[in-house]
Amino acid sequence: DTAVSQTPKYLVTQMGNDKSIKCEQNLGHDTMYWYKQDSKKFLKIMFSYNNKELIINETVPNRFSPKSPDKAHLNLHINSLELGDSAVYFCASSRQLLTPTYEQYFGPGTRLTVT
Amino acid sequence: QKEVEQNSGPLSVPEGAIASLNCTYSDRGSQSFFWYRQYSGKSPELIMFIYSNGDKEDGRFTAQLNKASQYVSLLIRDSQPSDSATYLCAVNFLRPGNNRKLIWGLGTSLAVNP
C-alpha cells in the first residue's frame, strides 16, 4: 500500500545520457512535486503540478522537463545529464497547493549518479 | 538572511533528555510551519505542523511557534536512540500569484546517546 512510489530507486548513468524518473501517488492528492536533495542535504523544490497543471517552476535548467499525464502521476525527464545532476530526487504529493496547512508526503527517492 | 535557518548541529543529547531544535524564518507572512524527520538514506516524514502561536503537543513532541519573533521550535521529550536523525524545518511561503511553496531549512542532525 505504498502511498507515493518512485522508480527507479537507483540510477547510474553517464554524462550526456537522457533518463526518466517516474512517480505515482495513490492518495488521491491534487498536487505533486519534484525535489532535489544534494550532497549537503539541502532539499530544494524543482516543480509543482496541481491537477496536471504546472504551478511552480523554479530556476531549473531546461534539460529537466516534468510531465503529468494525470493527477496521480508526475514524471521527470532529464536530457544531457551532467555531473552536477547527481543527487537524490524526491517526489511528493499533498492534497492542495493553495491551502497552508496541508502536509506533503514523500516518495522513497531516486538516487541519481552521473559518471 | 536565509529564508529558513536551522543550526546544522550535530546536537547530541543523552537518552531520556529533552532535545530542543530551533528554526527561524524570514517571511513575516508565513502561515504554517512543518517539522519533518529524515533518517539517513530515507525520505522526509512529517512529525507535525503548527500554524497558531503557542505550543502544540503530539506525544513526546511539542512544536512551539512565535510569529512575532519569527521562530519555531521542536521539543522532543524522553529522547530515544531511535530519534537520532536529521530534523527539517519547512515554512509555507506565499508567493506571487497566490501560490504557496515550502521553503526548507538545511536540517539539524540529532544524536541521542544511550
Side-chain angles (χ1 to χ4, degrees):
Chain A
D1 281 28
T2 305
V4 183
S5 60
Q6 292 178 232
T7 54
K9 193 169 171 65
Y10 299 97
L11 188 51
V12 181
T13 189
Q14 292 183 326
M15 284 175 56
N17 285 349
D18 303 338
K19 290 294 179 186
S20 292
I21 307 172
K22 296 187 175 183
C23 178
E24 177 181 359
Q25 55 96 2
N26 62 7
L27 297 167
H29 288 169
D30 291 329
T31 309
M32 296 184 72
Y33 313 81
W34 278 112
Y35 283 92
K36 179 181 180 181
Q37 189 171 45
D38 60 25
S39 58
K40 294 184 178 179
K41 305 300 182 186
F42 182 54
L43 199 59
K44 188 166 190 287
I45 191 166
M46 301 172 69
F47 302 102
S48 172
Y49 270 75
N50 191 54
N51 277 325
K52 301 194 300 174
E53 181 184 351
L54 181 64
I55 298 296
I56 293 174
N57 184 355
E58 292 295 301
T59 307
V60 175
N62 58 15
R63 299 182 294 104
F64 290 79
S65 53
K67 186 169 285 188
S68 181
D70 55 62
K71 75 174 190 178
H73 295 85
L74 180 62
N75 303 323
L76 183 66
H77 187 74
I78 315 171
N79 288 326
S80 302
L81 278 155
E82 299 177 357
L83 292 176
D85 297 332
S86 296
V88 180
Y89 292 84
F90 287 105
C91 176
S93 72
S94 68
R95 275 182 281 177
Q96 285 183 16
L97 179 64
L98 300 181
T99 306
T101 59
Y102 284 156
E103 62 269 29
Q104 297 182 7
Y105 295 86
F106 284 77
T110 296
R111 182 173 293 275
L112 171 65
T113 303
V114 183
T115 61
Chain B
Q1 180 190 3
K2 290 182 182 173
E3 293 178 300
V4 177
E5 289 201 71
Q6 295 180 256
N7 187 328
S8 62
L11 173 66
S12 184
V13 301
E15 184 174 355
I18 295 176
S20 178
L21 304 159
N22 305 317
C23 174
T24 57
Y25 59 95
S26 61
D27 186 353
R28 285 196 171 275
S30 299
Q31 294 187 327
S32 49
F33 310 84
F34 301 79
W35 282 102
Y36 282 77
R37 176 176 61 197
Q38 187 174 24
Y39 292 111
S40 181
K42 300 294 186 182
S43 56
E45 54 180 342
L46 181 72
I47 299 173
M48 61 194 305
F49 68 85
I50 186 168
Y51 54 89
S52 297
N53 272 330
D55 294 1
K56 179 181 178 183
E57 189 173 315
D58 184 359
R60 295 186 297 112
F61 299 95
T62 299
Q64 299 175 318
L65 176 61
N66 184 327
K67 289 187 179 180
S69 301
Q70 294 172 244
Y71 176 96
V72 58
S73 64
L74 180 70
L75 300 178
I76 307 174
R77 289 183 299 282
D78 188 24
S79 295
Q80 301 297 308
S82 58
D83 294 326
S84 299
T86 297
Y87 289 79
L88 300 166
C89 171
V91 178
N92 204 338
F93 277 46
L94 182 63
R95 294 298 193 198
N98 207 34
N99 290 321
R100 297 180 184 278
K101 69 174 185 180
L102 285 184
I103 305 295
W104 296 77
L106 279 171
T108 297
S109 175
L110 172 67
V112 180
N113 305 310

